[in-house]
Amino acid sequence: MQSVNFIYNHDMPRFRSFATEKAYQQAMLLLFGLPGVPVIWQGTEQGCLEVREKMFDLFETSSKDFKFVQHLIAFRKKQPATRRGKIEILADSKNCPGLLLFKLNHAEKDLYFALNTLDDPILTNDIPLAIKEEGAFSVVKEMDLVGDWQANVTNGQLDFLHLPAKEGLIFSLTPAQKTA
């Protein structure tokens, strides 16, 4: 059974009408990244701000909003973990204010989600990632919202993670290449 996930519906103010652009993007990243069925209320992809805004006069497929939602849908289609992964919380604001770090376990490929909900950058370290392999790993960006993040993983642990303000980062891990 799949859960139905949404940020708001037709009976509530649109999230975007009171949230910042970055908070909206983080919420959408989570919506399309979490297992279950993402539901967006009509007009979200058009940037509508009013609850029952007339949207058909403004339907635009080349807008920033439409392309962002398209990008999230395409990403979700390529990543089975976003549809059927098992969520494992690895760190939250108790580890570092503003941090949410979780793993989506999936037989095909595990994904890690890191979010900084603060308006300032964060730096955290020494977080176990629930992997059994030893050695160094390359952190592979699957998607990000801001960029300019940094991370290092060795021996199953996130040695450090630097996230800019309002970053939403999805990454995977691959064993690092040994240099001769």
Side-chain angles (χ1 to χ4, degrees), residues 97-117:
L99 175 67
L100 175 60
L101 176 65
F102 64 90
K103 177 180 181 180
L104 286 178
N105 293 300
H106 191 271
E108 193 171 311
K109 179 168 78 173
D110 293 336
L111 292 178
Y112 296 84
F113 281 64
L115 288 102
N116 173 8
T117 61

Side-chain angles (χ1 to χ4, degrees), residues 100-142:
L100 175 60
L101 176 65
F102 64 90
K103 177 180 181 180
L104 286 178
N105 293 300
H106 191 271
E108 193 171 311
K109 179 168 78 173
D110 293 336
L111 292 178
Y112 296 84
F113 281 64
L115 288 102
N116 173 8
T117 61
L118 299 179
D119 291 323
D120 296 305
I122 60 174
L123 176 64
T124 189
N125 60 352
D126 301 332
I127 298 174
L129 292 181
I131 55 178
K132 295 176 176 63
E133 297 86 9
E134 294 290 316
F137 288 85
S138 296
V139 176
V140 179
K141 175 188 89 166
E142 301 290 342

Side-chain angles (χ1 to χ4, degrees), residues 16-50:
R16 199 165 185 183
S17 69
F18 58 84
T20 66
E21 182 69 13
K22 290 296 180 190
Y24 160 76
Q25 289 178 346
Q26 283 185 328
M28 292 294 284
L29 185 70
L30 274 174
L31 179 67
F32 281 89
L34 291 173
V37 180
V39 176
I40 61 170
W41 182 243
Q42 63 187 13
T44 300
E45 79 288 354
Q46 296 300 309
C48 292
L49 299 176
E50 296 175 24

Side-chain angles (χ1 to χ4, degrees), residues 46-138:
Q46 296 300 309
C48 292
L49 299 176
E50 296 175 24
V51 174
R52 300 187 190 276
E53 189 169 345
K54 183 178 174 186
M55 77 171 226
F56 294 104
D57 289 342
L58 52 104
F59 192 78
E60 178 62 60
T61 60
S62 61
S63 70
K64 175 184 67 132
D65 298 309
F66 189 87
K67 288 183 178 192
F68 179 62
V69 172
Q70 257 189 333
H71 183 64
L72 293 170
I73 292 169
F75 177 78
R76 183 177 175 83
K77 284 181 179 180
K78 288 186 339 187
Q79 302 291 344
T82 61
R83 299 184 307 275
R84 300 282 182 184
K86 182 179 177 219
I87 298 172
E88 183 176 353
I89 304 294
L90 302 172
D92 58 23
S93 59
K94 289 178 244 148
N95 299 84
C96 177
L99 175 67
L100 175 60
L101 176 65
F102 64 90
K103 177 180 181 180
L104 286 178
N105 293 300
H106 191 271
E108 193 171 311
K109 179 168 78 173
D110 293 336
L111 292 178
Y112 296 84
F113 281 64
L115 288 102
N116 173 8
T117 61
L118 299 179
D119 291 323
D120 296 305
I122 60 174
L123 176 64
T124 189
N125 60 352
D126 301 332
I127 298 174
L129 292 181
I131 55 178
K132 295 176 176 63
E133 297 86 9
E134 294 290 316
F137 288 85
S138 296

